[in-house]
């Protein structure tokens, strides 16, 4: 089975003349067909940069220094600007994190949605208008027929985000890269948006790469989860395995920092320290300065991904010399 999206050994960094500074190193991430893959981590871990690389939209001076960005088996880095414009919107789309910067302030929201159909479809002007109104209604915008004629500044930040989501799903692409799509929305609208994305995925078989810091969103929507820290993937697993038995200490720390309704005693635990600002200068594990399981080898050497096979099936993938093992019968970690 071929992946819809595959970032193969991708290294991203800043290039100035002959000098390079690596920010994301050796990234290997796959989004299979008919799956929703979540990419989770703290702010500054490299999630949004990864999302931009997946669409070949890295802003200068960032560049893909090495590796491949494969969409349906073809390297996007080899495509011309015209070929990429033809793919974006029709075959692959993106929900941006900052809607106020993504929307054109000089065009009505209806015109901006209609431009997608004009560029990629054969609809008449009336058909484009009716389809745009349906999309606005589907993402929870009230009175869409009148608001269709309004400009982005007449909408709140949450409403602007919904408009971006409507544009992303308009042509039912094969891949949707969603960069924090529910950040600006209230809890009720978040549920509707997540239901919309799930329904789209089920109806069309679209694949979604969901960028988020909210583990609750990951648990409710994703099939697989990739955990990112300081420019590296540190763990990958299906959603059930990850939440039931996280192996990387960073993943465990993220989970313990989230309030849970089923826990009545105690407070969420906060991880000590902060992510290193100059993590590209570290020789060993980038999480070692904060890790409670750190050993001397963690400072000296960089751990590689390790697979855990359970009865011949692929399980967790973790970047750690001393991963957290499964609890024994007494409930203690070995």
């Amino acid at each position: 089975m071929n992946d819809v999206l595959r970032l193969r050994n991708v290294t991203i960094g800043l290039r100035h003349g002959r000098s390079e500074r690596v920010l994301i190193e050796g990234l290997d991430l796959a989004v299979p067909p008919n799956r929703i893959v979540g990419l989770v981590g703290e702010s500054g871990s490299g999630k949004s940069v990864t999302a931009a690389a997946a669409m070949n939209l890295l802003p200068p001076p960032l560049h893909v220094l090495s590796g491949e960005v494969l969409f349906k088996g073809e390297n996007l880095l080899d495509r011309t600007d015209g070929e990429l414009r033809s793919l974006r919107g029709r075959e692959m789309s993106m929900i941006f994190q900052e809607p106020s910067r993504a929307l054109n302030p000089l065009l009505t929201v209806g015109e901006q949605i209609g431009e997608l159909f004009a560029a990629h479809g054969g609809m008449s002007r009336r058909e484009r208008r009716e389809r745009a109104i349906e999309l606005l209604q589907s993402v929870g915008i009230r009175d869409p027929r009148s608001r269709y004629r309004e400009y982005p500044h007449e909408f709140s930040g949450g409403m602007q985000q919904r408009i971006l989501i409507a544009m992303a799903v308009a042509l039912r692409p094969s891949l949707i890269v969603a960069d924090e799509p529910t950040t600006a929305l209230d809890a009720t609208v978040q549920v509707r948006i997540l239901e919309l994305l799930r329904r789209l995925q089920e109806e069309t078989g679209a694949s979604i790469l969901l960028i988020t810091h909210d583990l609750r969103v990951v648990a409710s929507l994703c099939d697989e989860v990739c955990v990112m820290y300081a420019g590296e993937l540190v763990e990958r697993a299906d959603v059930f395995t990850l939440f039931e038995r996280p192996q990387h200490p960073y993943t465990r720390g993220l989970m313990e920092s989230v309030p849970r309704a089923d826990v009545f005693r105690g407070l969420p635990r906060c991880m000590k320290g902060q992510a290193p600002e100059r993590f590209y200068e570290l020789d060993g594990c980038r999480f070692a300065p904060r890790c409670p399981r750190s050993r001397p080898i963690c400072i000296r050497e960089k751990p590689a991904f390790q697979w855990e096979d359970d009865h011949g099936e692929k399980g967790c993938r973790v970047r750690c010399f001393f991963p957290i093992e499964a609890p024994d019968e007494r409930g203690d970690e070995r």
Side-chain angles (χ1 to χ4, degrees):
M1 182 181 295
N2 295 324
D3 296 318
V4 175
L5 176 69
R6 174 74 184 274
L7 277 67
R8 179 181 293 166
N9 199 27
V10 169
T11 296
I12 301 171
L14 305 171
R15 179 182 294 158
H16 182 71
R18 295 183 178 181
S19 63
E20 296 178 349
R21 175 177 294 178
V22 173
L23 300 181
I24 294 178
E25 185 176 6
L27 183 65
D28 199 331
L29 185 150
V31 182
N34 199 27
R35 286 290 186 270
I36 300 178
V37 177
L39 183 61
V40 65
E42 293 173 291
S43 297
S45 60
K47 304 187 303 299
S48 293
V49 173
T50 300
M55 297 287 292
N56 199 5
L57 285 173
L58 283 174
L62 290 176
H63 299 277
V64 175
L65 303 177
S66 62
E68 295 178 310
V69 180
L70 304 174
F71 175 70
K72 295 184 176 180
E74 298 186 12
N75 192 358
L76 295 181
L77 303 179
D78 297 332
R79 294 294 189 97
T80 65
D81 290 342
E83 291 172 334
L84 290 172
R85 283 194 296 270
S86 178
L87 282 175
R88 293 175 188 140
R90 178 172 54 87
E91 290 288 339
M92 55 194 305
S93 64
M94 186 168 184
I95 303 170
F96 293 92
Q97 185 175 0
E98 300 182 33
S100 60
R101 297 178 58 183
L103 293 170
N104 189 334
L106 301 180
L107 298 178
T108 66
V109 298
E111 289 174 323
Q112 295 185 58
I113 297 175
E115 281 185 340
L116 289 169
F117 299 111
H120 298 286
M123 295 183 180
S124 66
R125 184 175 181 179
R126 180 178 179 180
E127 289 173 334
R128 294 197 300 267
R129 177 172 61 85
E130 292 300 319
R131 179 61 179 146
I133 291 171
E134 290 177 4
L135 286 167
L136 292 176
Q137 185 175 13
S138 70
V139 295
I141 294 180
R142 297 180 181 179
D143 195 12
R145 289 194 174 272
S146 63
R147 306 219 70 181
Y148 168 90
R149 301 180 179 88
E150 295 182 358
Y151 291 86
H153 73 271
E154 299 179 83
F155 293 81
S156 66
M159 290 290 184
Q160 291 177 358
Q161 186 69 291
R162 288 184 240 185
I163 293 167
L164 279 187
I165 294 171
M167 296 173 67
V169 303
L171 297 175
R172 296 175 177 261
S174 302
L175 172 70
I176 298 174
V177 179
D179 187 7
E180 303 277 6
T182 61
T183 297
L185 307 180
D186 58 57
T188 302
V189 179
Q190 282 187 20
V191 174
R192 294 176 182 174
I193 295 304
L194 295 176
E195 290 176 350
L196 174 67
L197 292 174
R198 171 59 77 181
R199 186 170 71 250
L200 171 69
Q201 190 268 335
E202 292 177 347
E203 291 177 355
T204 67
S207 299
I208 298 176
L209 175 60
L210 177 67
I211 314 297
T212 183
H213 64 274
D214 193 335
L215 289 171
R216 291 165 294 189
V217 172
V218 169
S220 64
L221 188 66
C222 295
D223 301 301
E224 300 178 17
V225 189
C226 295
V227 182
M228 197 167 194
Y229 180 79
E232 291 182 335
L233 288 186
V234 296
E235 187 165 1
R236 177 182 176 181
D238 67 85
V239 66
F240 298 106
T241 301
L242 189 85
F243 279 87
E244 290 181 2
R245 189 159 53 93
Q247 288 192 303
H248 199 281
Y250 176 66
T251 307
R252 172 65 65 86
L254 285 179
M255 293 181 179
E256 291 180 344
S257 66
V258 177
R260 293 174 50 187
D262 59 337
V263 177
F264 297 95
R265 296 182 179 179
L267 296 174
R269 299 178 183 177
C270 294
M271 282 185 287
K272 296 181 180 180
Q274 297 179 352
E277 294 183 3
R278 303 174 68 87
F279 51 77
Y280 45 84
E281 296 181 350
L282 298 177
D283 294 327
C285 175
R286 295 179 176 180
F287 188 61
R290 305 174 67 186
C291 182
R293 303 172 66 87
S294 178
R295 304 290 190 274
I297 189 176
C298 303
I299 305 297
R300 298 191 310 266
E301 300 179 19
K302 184 182 293 293
F305 270 119
Q306 298 176 2
W307 285 100
E308 176 192 84
D309 293 326
D310 186 10
H311 303 293
E313 296 183 358
K314 187 168 60 177
C316 281
R317 188 178 187 182
V318 60
R319 186 189 298 275
C320 185
F321 287 118
F322 305 100
I324 301 171
E325 300 181 13
D328 60 19
E329 295 179 356
R330 297 173 299 174
D332 299 326
E333 292 176 358
R334 297 194 299 270

